[in-house]
Amino acid sequence: MSKKSYSHPDISETAITSDLHVKGDIASDNDVWIDGHIEGGVSTHGIVTLGQNARVEGDITARIVRINGHVEGNVEAGESLTCHAAAVVQGDITTRDVRVDSGAVINGRLTTFTDEGQNTGEE
Amino acid sequence: MYYYIVNPNAGNGTFADIQHKLKSTLHGLGIDGEFAKTLQQKDARTITRSALQRGIKTIVVAGGDKTVNEVVAAVQESGKQSVSIGILPLGNHNTLASYLGITDWHHACHVLAARRLQSFNLIHINDHSFIHSCHIEPKSTSDTSQLLAEIDGSHKLRGEVAFSRVSNQKLHNVYLPNQLLLRLYPHQDRSSWWSRIFGSAGGVSSPAQLHARVAILEFSSEHTATIDGRTLHNTLFRIRLSETPLRLITARAEQPDLESETG
């Protein structure tokens, strides 16, 4: 048995590390951290976070989405979306509140909406 | 009536040293009962079956993890959902008692008297069952560990892992539902991936973590699964939660999902 020390995610979080490759859809009620490769969609009522090594080939649906990796698919964040400097999104984004850091790349339509569901802007 | 199954060899004979104090404490709390001692391995399972046939509703295991697991397995096999299980942690390893918030035998007496019940599902791995955790690693340390995992039939996962652990997430946090918690540990020392995301100092490895009701783990080489001192050798491990939960007497105060009752 290994005696190395490990830092563990919160018990309820799903964590896909950089050495893992997933095929199929991940549906969760909890937060999802991704730093690996996923060929499929990701949906949760919680937070989805993509690290620098993350590559998601599918749609992402969550309350809050934080991206610092690659996404080839549409992203829908009910509350907010943040694209950090290393983010690359090839797909449409729909969210209420968006923040895009310098260096992030978005190739797709960006749609924001209000609580009433009205579109407030597109790029 | 409480029915106490005692492993007299647990914890290098702890029971012999404390039995008078223990019985006095139990009597003072109004939960004294019948005692049965195990004589050899697997006796706890036989004694449990016999007690269940007599209609015993509350079984308390005085021993360590191995004895607890024998009793838990026998109750599960009986299919009797109305039976409650308590623990007096007397063994060298008292992992389940620790998960349930029970610190020592004296504390356990008061926990038994308070009789706070919570339901937990067993985990089945191939033809074996356990309640708290299982460690899976390559049989030979020189073997590589390519893993192909199928999770809930919805997605497949592959990668290289050093070792894996399986447990019921509810034992870690009683607010959470009964669900398999799979942790897949990486081979090399790697900085934690969230520290890489946010650029903070790393140096500590982080496992992948998945939740499921059913998981099939297939390794490229033979692996050893260690469950409460028992070992299974295989390349394929079919893991699932039991259909029916067990009722455990616990010290955990958070939102018990079964009401306290008298036994």
Side-chain angles (χ1 to χ4, degrees):
Chain A
M1 189 179 294
S2 175
K3 290 178 180 173
K4 289 192 298 189
S5 63
Y6 291 90
S7 65
H8 292 96
D10 186 85
I11 290 294
S12 63
E13 286 176 355
T14 297
I16 306 295
T17 44
S18 60
D19 38 10
L20 296 180
H21 185 151
V22 176
K23 278 190 178 181
D25 297 331
I26 294 179
S28 174
D29 293 327
N30 303 308
D31 297 347
V32 181
W33 294 72
I34 301 164
D35 206 32
H37 184 178
I38 297 180
E39 290 182 67
V42 179
S43 63
T44 176
H45 300 298
I47 301 169
V48 171
T49 305
L50 272 63
Q52 286 182 0
N53 298 306
R55 182 177 191 88
V56 176
E57 297 174 42
D59 297 340
I60 298 175
T61 305
R63 185 169 56 83
I64 295 171
V65 180
R66 299 184 296 205
I67 301 172
N68 205 22
H70 283 64
V71 182
E72 293 176 29
N74 300 324
V75 182
E76 186 174 336
E79 193 171 306
S80 68
L81 179 138
T82 304
C83 287
H84 294 284
V88 177
V89 180
Q90 308 275 359
D92 296 340
I93 292 174
T94 306
T95 186
R96 192 175 67 173
D97 183 46
V98 65
R99 190 189 105 188
V100 180
D101 289 352
S102 175
V105 176
I106 301 173
N107 287 323
R109 182 191 297 254
L110 172 60
T111 306
T112 55
F113 58 85
T114 64
D115 285 340
E116 290 75 35
Q118 298 168 320
N119 287 355
T120 57
E122 290 184 1
E123 294 183 23
Chain B
M1 183 189 75
Y2 280 34
Y3 189 82
Y4 295 86
I5 297 177
V6 180
N7 177 357
N9 297 319
N12 303 318
T14 304
F15 181 72
D17 297 334
I18 64 156
Q19 62 175 320
H20 295 299
K21 279 186 187 172
L22 172 64
K23 288 180 178 177
S24 169
T25 304
L26 296 175
H27 180 73
L29 291 166
I31 52 169
D32 45 5
E34 194 175 330
F35 280 72
K37 286 186 184 178
T38 63
L39 298 175
Q40 57 191 2
Q41 213 172 8
K42 297 192 177 175
D43 261 4
R45 187 179 284 243
T46 310
I47 293 168
T48 303
R49 286 187 191 131
S50 169
L52 295 173
Q53 284 172 359
R54 288 173 47 203
I56 298 289
K57 296 291 185 189
T58 301
I59 295 176
V60 178
V61 193
D65 285 342
K66 285 184 185 176
T67 317
V68 169
N69 214 60
E70 282 187 42
V71 171
V72 159
V75 172
Q76 175 74 23
E77 285 163 11
S78 76
K80 295 188 175 179
Q81 295 181 45
S82 58
V83 175
S84 304
I85 302 171
I87 300 173
L88 281 163
L90 301 185
N92 291 320
H93 300 285
N94 304 296
T95 315
L96 181 58
S98 175
Y99 275 128
L100 299 176
I102 300 166
T103 54
D104 54 42
W105 71 265
H106 195 264
H107 179 226
C109 292
H110 292 272
V111 171
L112 292 171
R115 200 178 168 79
R116 181 176 291 118
L117 294 169
Q118 289 186 330
S119 61
F120 295 89
N121 288 68
L122 276 183
I123 299 173
H124 298 300
I125 177 164
N126 295 353
D127 296 328
H128 299 262
S129 58
F130 62 95
I131 191 150
H132 52 82
S133 61
C134 168
H135 178 96
I136 304 173
E137 63 183 354
K139 192 175 177 185
S140 165
T141 51
S142 60
D143 286 342
T144 56
S145 305
Q146 279 293 330
L147 167 68
L148 177 63
E150 185 175 324
I151 308 297
D152 283 339
S154 67
H155 54 280
K156 289 185 177 178
L157 173 153
R158 65 179 158 80
E160 197 170 313
V161 297
F163 62 96
S164 315
R165 282 190 182 139
V166 184
S167 58
N168 182 344
Q169 70 167 359
K170 189 174 178 182
L171 281 171
H172 298 272
N173 183 341
V174 293
Y175 283 115
L176 299 173
N178 284 287
Q179 202 168 31
L180 296 177
L181 178 69
L182 306 173
R183 282 178 168 163
L184 311 174
Y185 291 79
H187 264 290
Q188 298 95 15
D189 283 321
R190 293 175 183 155
S191 58
S192 77
W193 49 279
W194 51 80
S195 71
R196 291 204 304 273
I197 291 167
F198 297 108
S200 60
V204 181
S205 294
S206 302
Q209 183 166 280
L210 300 149
H211 304 81
R213 290 200 68 79
V214 180
I216 300 171
L217 308 185
E218 186 173 7
F219 294 95
S220 57
S221 63
E222 191 162 45
H223 273 54
T224 300
T226 306
I227 311 159
D228 304 323
R230 291 172 295 152
T231 53
L232 319 175
H233 304 291
N234 214 322
T235 55
L236 185 72
F237 297 94
R238 295 176 186 278
I239 306 167
R240 64 178 173 85
L241 281 177
S242 64
E243 304 269 327
T244 52
L246 289 170
R247 307 203 309 176
L248 301 182
I249 301 174
T250 171
R252 300 285 184 206
E254 302 91 339
Q255 296 185 335
D257 52 7
L258 292 168
E259 290 182 5
S260 296
E261 57 181 44
T262 55

